[in-house]
Amino acid sequence: MESWITAIGSLVLVGITAWYAVLTRRLAISARESAASAERTAQIAADALAASVAGLDIEFGVYPNWRANEKGDGHALGVSVISTGAAVFVHGAHIDELWLLEGDEREDGYSSALEVSDHALVLDEDFALNTDGVALPVRLHRGEGVHFVTQPEADIEVSKIAQLEVSVSYSLSPGGEQLVRRSTYDFQDE
């Protein structure tokens, strides 16, 4: 009789184990389907975000400015970067090219010469328009600006600048992926 009880008990255990295996398999299939669904949802969200970012109006105005240089015997070229579009975090700026006017204006326009290329800009901590304690990255809303100075200082008369091309590094969040937007100042547009 004991052997019957043992056999029946073993059969019950085999049945429970089989049922557990079936349930585990169903859970695994459901987990795989949930993961695939979450992956599709994440891809859709990423595509929607990319479309939203692509639709943002992110533009900058760049304008030359100057202040007395550190020696006090000339002018240090500075660049003001003004957000003319969506709110962004500016991480830095860099002069790509600066062209100076040459001679008098001609009938066909003006002539200019490349004066500066590939020149570093740093946050101008002494410029009165920068808020005290401003640090990069700085959040700019439409119409707000941040001011940089050439490093090393470039002694250039602002009224002689024909064209200024500046690369502005920005992101949509303080620690977000940095993107670069190139902006141009042309004295004829002023």
Side-chain angles (χ1 to χ4, degrees):
M1 181 78 160
E2 244 180 66
S3 61
W4 281 96
I5 294 175
T6 304
I8 291 173
S10 294
L11 284 175
V12 168
L13 283 176
V14 166
I16 290 172
T17 303
W19 181 248
Y20 179 74
V22 167
L23 289 178
T24 302
R25 183 173 185 275
R26 285 182 186 170
L27 284 172
I29 290 170
S30 177
R32 251 181 275 146
E33 289 173 352
S34 291
S37 176
E39 192 174 307
R40 284 190 304 273
T41 302
Q43 184 60 46
I44 290 168
D47 292 346
L49 176 62
S52 291
V53 169
L56 285 177
D57 175 27
I58 299 174
E59 294 294 331
F60 299 100
V62 292
Y63 305 95
N65 62 53
W66 63 271
R67 63 173 172 82
N69 66 11
E70 291 176 359
K71 296 177 189 173
D73 61 356
H75 301 104
L77 174 66
V79 175
S80 297
V81 175
I82 312 294
S83 175
T84 59
V88 294
F89 288 86
V90 171
H91 294 263
H94 185 89
I95 293 177
D96 296 323
E97 292 183 347
L98 182 141
W99 295 77
L100 290 182
L101 293 170
E102 279 189 332
D104 296 326
E105 186 174 351
R106 304 180 317 224
E107 287 182 21
D108 62 345
Y110 65 92
S111 64
S112 60
L114 181 63
E115 177 73 14
V116 174
S117 64
D118 194 28
H119 201 92
L121 290 169
V122 295
L123 190 64
D124 190 351
E125 296 174 0
D126 297 327
F127 197 71
L129 295 178
N130 277 340
T131 307
D132 289 337
V134 69
L136 297 175
V138 61
R139 184 180 185 118
L140 296 182
H141 294 91
R142 181 185 300 264
E144 294 178 338
V146 63
H147 310 282
F148 296 91
V149 67
T150 50
Q151 184 68 35
E153 290 183 335
D155 188 1
I156 295 174
E157 193 176 327
V158 172
S159 63
K160 299 272 187 200
I161 295 175
Q163 193 172 44
L164 174 65
E165 294 180 359
V166 176
S167 291
V168 180
S169 300
Y170 72 95
S171 65
L172 299 178
S173 64
E177 177 186 358
Q178 290 186 34
L179 306 168
V180 176
R181 181 67 48 111
R182 195 169 190 183
S183 298
T184 301
Y185 163 85
D186 191 311
F187 86 102
Q188 291 182 318
D189 295 339
E190 295 307 306

